[in-house]
Amino acid sequence: MFGRKKAAEPAAPETTVAERPGAKNRPTPRRRDQEAARKKPLVPADRKAAANDARLKAREARARQRAAMMTGDEAHLPARDKGPVKRFIRDSVDARWNVGEFMLPVMVLVLALSFVRQSWALLMVFILVYGLIVVAVVDAALMWRRTRKKIIAKFGEGSVPAGSTMYAVMRAFQMRRSRLPRPQVARGEKPQ
């Protein structure tokens, strides 16, 4: 603007370079062009179709996960249940009789007894409730100690993931038929 005008520089003559084996043999693309090629809109043009696609994908993922929970397929299990250690814990809990799995049926009986307004019935309710809770907690603690020792013996020291205690105890307190992932071992069978 305020100075001399520069003379237009003559264009450099194009030289052809012979292709070399192992070389890129093309110019490096500009960053601006690469970024423009990668850009996608944050909001799709057809939001209704995008929402339907997302809903369909989520439904398919849930169906795969549900099927894996029924069959024990490791590939599609949720992260909470994946891994050889978690499978070993499930198999250890499922291979034995647990006192905790009888809590729900006994509590139904206790509920029926609590409607009887007799002193012997109330005493039975008290003994059944607190006695069963104490026995179930002791049984779960002993089960976890044995299972933890087996995990360390099989997988090595430090292989017990965080939260495994509650994972095993909560599974032991569920009735066998309602456990997910479904039990893969019979009662009395040794876990692999």
Side-chain angles (χ1 to χ4, degrees):
M1 180 165 170
F2 294 112
R4 286 189 266 159
K5 291 188 178 184
K6 294 182 181 178
E9 294 181 21
E14 285 197 29
T15 57
T16 57
V17 179
E19 289 191 16
R20 300 174 308 175
K24 184 166 58 170
N25 294 323
R26 62 180 166 77
T28 302
R30 289 199 166 119
R31 173 178 279 189
R32 180 178 348 150
D33 299 335
Q34 292 293 90
E35 287 175 352
R38 279 195 309 263
K39 279 187 182 175
K40 293 181 202 169
L42 289 176
V43 179
D46 188 5
R47 292 179 64 167
K48 215 176 224 185
N52 286 337
D53 289 343
R55 205 174 304 118
L56 187 64
K57 285 179 185 174
R59 185 178 303 137
E60 289 171 357
R62 281 193 306 272
R64 273 195 312 273
Q65 196 174 61
R66 176 90 176 142
M69 293 289 248
M70 296 300 176
T71 62
D73 177 25
E74 283 283 329
H76 299 292
L77 283 176
R80 172 195 75 195
D81 298 313
K82 276 188 181 176
V85 176
K86 292 291 180 104
R87 177 157 192 127
F88 187 82
I89 292 171
R90 286 194 305 271
D91 290 347
S92 295
V93 171
D94 295 338
R96 67 189 297 270
W97 288 94
N98 299 294
V99 176
E101 61 189 286
F102 297 107
M103 295 254 318
L104 187 62
V106 171
M107 289 303 160
V108 172
L109 176 69
V110 165
L111 182 66
L113 276 175
S114 68
F115 290 119
V116 177
R117 293 290 172 196
Q118 299 291 325
S119 61
W120 65 268
L122 295 177
L123 181 64
M124 287 298 292
V125 166
F126 181 80
I127 291 171
L128 280 174
V129 169
Y130 290 107
L132 187 63
I133 289 173
V134 168
V135 170
V137 167
V138 169
D139 178 58
L142 293 175
M143 178 268 308
W144 175 244
R145 281 187 60 193
R146 272 186 247 122
T147 304
R148 188 169 190 278
K149 285 180 185 177
K150 290 177 188 174
I151 291 171
I152 291 171
K154 183 172 182 170
F155 297 102
E157 188 69 38
S159 60
V160 181
S164 295
T165 305
M166 284 307 291
Y167 184 76
V169 169
M170 295 312 288
R171 190 164 179 93
F173 274 73
Q174 293 174 339
M175 288 190 300
R176 185 175 171 92
R177 295 188 68 178
S178 65
R179 293 177 186 163
L180 286 178
R182 291 273 187 240
Q184 301 294 314
V185 296
R187 289 196 198 269
E189 189 177 328
K190 293 206 182 236
Q192 311 278 329

